[in-house]
Amino acid sequence: MRRWEWSAATRGTAGFVARAKPLPFYAVPIGGRARTRGVDQGWIVVVLPVRALECRARMPNRLQWGRIIIGALLVEIALIIVFIPLLAVADIQTLIPFVVPAVFVFGFAITWWLVRKVRGQHVLHGILIGIIATLLYLLLCMAQPDGISSVVAMYGTSVFILANLLRILGCAAGAFAARPRT
């Protein structure tokens, strides 16, 4: 294991300067390009960009698109599985008061379950799950023979907008609840 000396005095706008005993060029830490500045009394001076040092810190913050897409699909599938069979038993007007909070609850629960394992940017993951789930729902509404206008007329404009906003807010709240406490 090589020892690197990080000196605040040698920190510049280009990045941090690392001094090490003579090493092959490939021994420079992975994560950024390095340039050899010169040899100083048997030491090789290597300038590492700041992003090379932050590479490991940034890695957890990558978006996990698989979890986002799966979460959006699960939210919509769960709502379909629960409420479509109820339409055979009850009228849609009696179900609407239950659909609006259920959209929030299902979004919260599924997003909390999926985002617990994410290393960073929990709320952004939740917001994206909610937005994609809403887009999926709007696509399902547009696929109907009468289009989205019949769905808006069935719910009412304000309830339709409220339910779709609650889907996004529920997913964001679930992700917020799943974030690690510091």
Side-chain angles (χ1 to χ4, degrees), residues 72 111 125-135 164 167-168 171-172:
T111 303
H125 279 83
I127 291 170
L128 290 173
I129 289 172
I131 289 172
I132 293 174
T134 302
L135 290 175
N164 287 311
R167 179 183 288 117
I168 297 170
C171 292

Side-chain angles (χ1 to χ4, degrees), residues 126-147:
I127 291 170
L128 290 173
I129 289 172
I131 289 172
I132 293 174
T134 302
L135 290 175
L136 285 172
Y137 176 69
L138 293 175
L139 285 174
L140 287 172
C141 291
M142 284 191 264
Q144 291 185 1
D146 295 335

Side-chain angles (χ1 to χ4, degrees), residues 35-50:
R35 297 182 304 269
T36 303
R37 286 286 175 129
V39 178
D40 180 26
Q41 300 172 351
W43 292 71
I44 295 177
V45 179
V46 179
V47 176
L48 300 173
V50 173

Side-chain angles (χ1 to χ4, degrees), residues 119-169:
R119 294 183 184 171
Q121 298 181 347
H122 292 81
V123 177
L124 179 60
H125 279 83
I127 291 170
L128 290 173
I129 289 172
I131 289 172
I132 293 174
T134 302
L135 290 175
L136 285 172
Y137 176 69
L138 293 175
L139 285 174
L140 287 172
C141 291
M142 284 191 264
Q144 291 185 1
D146 295 335
I148 199 167
S149 61
S150 65
V151 177
V152 173
M154 177 180 62
Y155 282 111
T157 306
S158 59
V159 174
F160 182 78
I161 292 171
L162 176 68
N164 287 311
L165 285 176
L166 282 176
R167 179 183 288 117
I168 297 170
L169 289 175

